[in-house]
Amino acid sequence: MSASRLRHLPLSLAIALSMPLAAQAHEAQDPTGTGHDHEPTDLARVEVRATPLAGTADNLVRPVEVLAGEALDAAKASSLGETVNKLPGVQSSYFGPGVGRPIIRGFDGARVQVLSDGLGSGDVSTVSADHAVSIEPFLADQIEVLKGPATLLYGSGAIGGAVNVIDGRIPEAATVEPLEGRAELRGGTVNDERTGIVRLDGTSASGNVVFHFDALHRETGDYDIPGSAESAATHAGHEEEDGHEEVVVGRLPGSAIRTDSAALGLSWVGDRGFIGGAYSLFNSRYGVPGHAHGAGEAHGDEHGHEDEDADGEHAEGGVRIVMDQRRSELRGGLDDLGAFQSLRVKLARTEYTHTEFEGGAVGTVFDNTATEARVELVHQPIAGWTGALGAQWSQREFLAVGDEAFVPGSDSRDAGLFWIGERAFGPTRLEFGARHDRNRVDIEESRAIGPDRDFDTTSLSAALRWDIGEDVHLSFGLDRAQRAPTAEELYSSGIHVATGSIELGDPDMDVETANRAEVGVHWHNGPFRIGASVFQVRFDDFVYLADTGIVEDGLPVRAWTQHDARFNGAEAELDWTFVDNASGAWAMRVFGDVVRAELDGRGRREVALAVPHGDHAHHHTASLANDGDLPRIAPARAGAELRWETGSWRASLGAVRYMEQDDVAEHEAATPGYTLVDAHLAWHADTRGGNAWEVFVDGSNLLDEEARPHTSFLKELAPLPGRGIEFGVRAFF
């Protein structure tokens, strides 16, 4: 047996063993959509867990989107960003198929908090565009997207929104049956994908001890593309410089992925609460496209699998990344505490290592140890106000080692207190909240390029929902949110290999302040649902990465800087079941979103830069515009989807048009528009034992169109995958 097959054996055995167990289980109801409930999930009525005040996506005052059940199964992809990419107002960053971070209404990076059931993911995906989010979407029960500032609940890093992933790894209630779960096997043509997933949940005979187990293995080769890896403009530039350049056509070198994830959780559950813990691991190995040229550099099969050494590591090639994370969690809850309705306590410690290999040799190693604790107390109504008190504390110890470690080591700490409350006044509901945080960043003394910094941030929020009638409601939101600069924005100084640039921070940055106003309307009448929102966010001292126009040693120099800015945007979605008869249920979904982000000023300003060069620095003065568009803003989109369901069958056909993005920053090129067409087909069967099977086929980019996301640093070097077909089988028991 080959070494490759031996690596797949543990997961294959786990899935094989789980199949016979299905014959012993019975059909039951599972509100998360992970077990036996195979009916379509009404996403508007799914309870949202990202806020301590109980509510659903349909009745919360704040804008929120939820994916669960069949909708989540259809959307799941290899990255979190791609999974939520079709929600209105939500797009994804892109740094190859292994890396995709959510972008909410034009905000990304350190402004969008990624959470694992209310606690930070513990990775360093905000440090660099090539760092992946350490959450596996295929193991999620439910994904919630909070639009607009979520600083009130989750602090400075959520000024643009938050994405909360519920995975059920620490059980909070007994399962309906003694043993239940699901398993899935899938493959794909565009990248020779092979993925296997298994999940088991069970309860002891006493009903008090509940366990959870999950595991995933995914392996893909380099993916197929419709044309060449480099854009026409980039290839022409290389031909001018070198006189010749080998064109890589038909596939994207450096786009292979291998991911392994597993978790084990155990809880004691009583009548009034629970206490439990979980241990999980996440390991991903992926290439960085665009850092290797020429088809001859990758040796292996037609899908781009490179030759491996005895340890399974890639012996040759461009830049490859090995990311490893181990996470320990404790959670507890108690209900009916007299003056308080409930108490929830959460604690997580995450140890994360990210190693970059360059041509088989270790280039740079990033180590991150994060500890976070959170307490939430929901109090009984006071003068008609239902509310929650909370405290949150976190610490991050970050260290980068290597010649190309552009960010120095740092120790970041944050402590915050918050209150959020709501009250009904006839047909209207008001929500108010406040939060104060204390942030501190201590820089590694041996590489100090600026002083340690302390920041105080305060966020205030007000929202109103007005139920005009049973079917229509209006919503209004006002926020003042603040964000402390991150260590990367303050202290970066050196070559950032992933983006092919020299990146410089500013240790004298101030707190960033956002003032948001939003108006929304929602109408739900039987099979017809429509929602629309318009918003504006005005920033004081907005932090962004500006291209200075300066080139040093052949690399562009980019500088973190601040200036006032404004974001204006709108989004809308319509969902209509227009036929429901003997031919089946036919539904149509149409959505669109747009955001315009501009600097709010006039003229230009001069910025002094010290570019490191060996043991000294080259000094430059950059002239930056005080007006114009901000860089890498997501383009406008319009999408449509036709769905059909009858009996055991369901199918859909959809398309999303990404418009040309020509509202670009200085020194930034426009990106052509493109259309992505997808289709889904699934057949579901219930067995006599109460179990279920599902066979599915999914198609993506069916027009085989060249697509280069404007939000990507690699858009000129790495297009999205071409036409692909995924197929597989799911078992529920």
Side-chain angles (χ1 to χ4, degrees):
M1 184 178 290
S2 69
S4 176
R5 292 190 178 182
L6 281 172
R7 288 198 305 271
H8 303 162
L9 185 59
L11 181 61
S12 300
L13 286 174
I15 295 176
L17 288 171
S18 72
M19 296 301 185
L21 292 173
Q24 305 172 14
H26 301 283
E27 189 170 7
Q29 183 79 8
D30 183 354
T32 66
T34 60
H36 317 296
D37 183 10
H38 310 301
E39 295 301 318
T41 303
D42 186 350
L43 298 179
R45 300 187 182 278
V46 173
E47 182 177 350
V48 176
R49 295 184 44 156
T51 173
L53 301 181
T56 67
D58 191 49
N59 62 27
L60 285 176
V61 178
R62 295 180 163 274
V64 62
E65 298 278 354
V66 176
L67 280 175
E70 292 176 356
L72 178 56
D73 282 338
K76 284 177 179 176
S78 60
S79 72
L80 182 60
E82 187 181 351
T83 299
V84 298
N85 189 42
K86 287 187 179 179
L87 296 175
V90 185
Q91 297 195 36
S92 177
S93 66
Y94 191 74
F95 212 89
V99 184
R101 213 172 186 279
I103 300 173
I104 301 177
R105 294 178 170 179
F107 301 113
D108 62 354
R111 293 184 182 87
V112 173
Q113 181 77 280
V114 175
L115 306 160
S116 175
D117 200 0
L119 291 177
S121 59
D123 55 42
V124 292
S125 57
T126 61
V127 172
S128 173
D130 64 323
H131 292 201
V133 175
S134 59
I135 291 179
E136 176 50 59
F138 274 92
L139 297 173
D141 295 345
Q142 179 173 312
I143 299 177
E144 305 161 354
V145 180
L146 302 180
K147 300 177 182 179
T151 51
L152 194 68
L153 295 171
Y154 296 108
S156 184
I159 196 170
V163 178
N164 189 38
V165 180
I166 311 297
D167 53 30
R169 285 176 165 173
I170 299 181
E172 298 185 10
T175 56
V176 177
E177 296 294 330
L179 182 65
E180 54 193 43
R182 65 182 291 170
E184 181 175 326
L185 292 171
R186 66 164 57 206
T189 62
V190 75
N191 55 5
D192 194 24
E193 177 187 0
R194 293 151 289 171
T195 298
I197 307 159
V198 62
R199 170 175 177 158
L200 296 172
D201 295 274
T203 303
S204 66
S206 67
N208 296 121
V209 179
V210 189
F211 80 90
H212 168 94
F213 169 77
D214 66 56
L216 171 141
H217 175 81
R218 176 191 299 111
E219 190 160 345
T220 76
D222 291 340
Y223 64 71
D224 298 333
I225 54 178
S228 63
E230 290 186 342
S231 66
T234 301
H235 179 63
H238 285 164
E239 283 189 323
E240 279 187 26
E241 294 172 4
D242 305 332
H244 66 280
E245 178 75 13
E246 186 173 0
V247 180
V248 180
V249 177
R251 66 176 179 85
L252 184 64
S255 58
I257 309 173
R258 177 185 166 189
T259 300
D260 295 281
S261 179
L264 180 64
L266 191 67
S267 293
W268 185 92
V269 177
D271 294 335
R272 293 179 52 206
F274 75 96
I275 184 169
Y279 182 78
S280 61
L281 60 88
F282 183 89
N283 183 281
S284 188
R285 306 177 181 205
Y286 56 92
V288 177
H291 288 258
H293 301 283
E297 291 186 6
H299 310 282
D301 64 25
E302 63 203 39
H303 291 281
H305 292 295
E306 299 174 2
D307 295 333
E308 295 181 343
D309 59 24
D311 296 323
E313 299 292 347
H314 291 265
E316 297 184 21
V319 178
R320 294 196 62 82
I321 290 171
V322 176
M323 186 187 77
D324 185 84
Q325 177 173 291
R326 310 297 167 100
R327 184 177 174 96
S328 302
E329 290 187 72
L330 292 173
R331 295 175 186 257
L334 194 59
D335 299 324
D336 301 326
L337 300 173
F340 296 97
Q341 295 180 10
S342 65
L343 166 68
R344 294 291 183 269
V345 179
K346 305 175 182 181
L347 174 66
R349 180 175 175 83
T350 307
E351 296 178 346
Y352 170 101
T353 300
H354 172 109
T355 306
E356 297 182 356
F357 291 88
E358 301 173 27
V362 175
T364 306
V365 179
F366 297 87
D367 285 320
N368 191 73
T369 301
T371 305
E372 183 175 356
R374 184 178 179 89
V375 178
E376 297 173 353
L377 272 168
V378 179
H379 61 73
Q380 300 288 359
I382 300 174
W385 288 87
T386 300
L389 298 164
Q392 185 176 359
W393 174 86
S394 63
Q395 181 175 8
R396 188 189 86 164
E397 298 174 3
F398 173 81
L399 180 64
V401 179
D403 294 337
E404 295 169 342
F406 69 102
V407 183
S410 61
D411 186 351
S412 303
R413 294 183 296 279
D414 176 83
L417 296 172
F418 68 88
W419 176 83
I420 182 172
E422 65 177 28
R423 180 180 176 180
F425 295 89
T428 64
R429 281 171 45 217
L430 286 176
E431 180 189 279
F432 288 105
R435 178 174 176 131
H436 182 78
D437 282 81
R438 177 73 171 171
N439 310 87
R440 180 172 177 83
V441 181
D442 294 330
I443 196 71
E444 181 184 338
E445 291 185 6
S446 62
R447 293 185 58 194
I449 60 174
D452 298 338
R453 296 295 306 275
D454 288 296
F455 301 97
D456 287 285
T457 59
T458 300
S459 297
L460 303 171
S461 174
L464 180 147
R465 171 180 166 135
W466 176 23
D467 294 326
I468 300 175
E470 292 184 2
D471 303 326
V472 183
H473 74 262
L474 295 176
S475 59
F476 305 88
L478 294 172
D479 298 274
R480 176 191 183 270
Q482 291 189 311
R483 183 180 76 90
T486 64
E488 299 77 51
E489 295 164 342
L490 293 167
Y491 304 114
S492 292
S493 180
I495 297 175
H496 190 171
V497 176
T499 59
S501 64
I502 296 173
E503 198 165 304
L504 304 177
D506 180 358
D508 297 321
M509 281 188 180
D510 294 325
V511 166
E512 174 184 278
T513 302
N515 298 287
R516 180 195 70 126
E518 178 172 351
V519 178
V521 59
H522 298 267
W523 178 32
H524 184 190
N525 187 356
F528 192 85
R529 183 191 302 270
I530 187 170
S533 300
V534 294
F535 61 89
Q536 182 181 81
V537 188
R538 286 189 173 271
F539 280 89
D540 296 331
D541 296 320
F542 181 80
V543 179
Y544 68 103
L545 186 61
D547 195 325
T548 64
I550 298 170
V551 177
E552 180 84 15
D553 293 332
L555 297 176
V557 177
R558 298 187 176 119
W560 288 103
T561 186
Q562 286 186 297
H563 199 270
D564 295 348
R566 64 181 181 274
F567 284 66
N568 296 301
E571 60 199 37
E573 182 180 29
L574 178 149
D575 202 304
W576 179 26
T577 303
F578 56 90
V579 172
D580 192 354
N581 54 28
S583 69
W586 296 81
M588 177 180 64
R589 174 180 178 253
V590 179
F591 78 96
D593 51 49
V594 61
V595 63
R596 182 75 184 273
E598 302 172 286
L599 294 169
D600 196 3
R602 295 181 180 179
R604 307 185 69 84
R605 65 189 187 280
E606 305 297 314
V607 178
L609 303 174
V611 180
H613 194 277
D615 296 330
H616 60 283
H618 289 171
H619 294 275
H620 300 270
T621 299
S623 177
L624 302 180
N626 290 333
D627 55 5
D629 298 291
L630 285 163
R632 292 174 297 281
I633 297 300
R637 297 183 303 175
E641 179 185 51
L642 178 66
R643 301 190 305 273
W644 168 76
E645 183 170 355
T646 182
S648 299
W649 292 91
R650 69 178 186 273
S652 68
L653 176 65
V656 180
R657 175 63 183 178
Y658 291 78
M659 309 303 178
E660 177 188 10
Q661 180 56 290
D662 54 7
D663 294 325
V664 295
E666 201 171 23
H667 311 297
E668 183 184 30
T671 304
Y674 52 90
T675 302
L676 298 180
V677 177
D678 63 87
H680 306 269
L681 177 66
W683 176 75
H684 180 90
D686 294 314
T687 67
R688 290 183 178 180
N691 311 303
W693 294 82
E694 192 166 276
V695 180
F696 63 90
V697 179
D698 299 329
S700 58
N701 194 6
L702 295 177
L703 300 182
D704 203 29
E705 186 161 355
E706 182 176 308
R708 299 181 183 273
H710 186 75
T711 57
S712 172
F713 280 97
L714 297 180
K715 58 179 172 288
E716 303 296 339
L717 303 174
L720 295 180
R723 182 187 297 112
I725 304 296
E726 287 193 338
F727 47 87
V729 59
R730 302 184 183 104
F732 305 87
F733 51 91

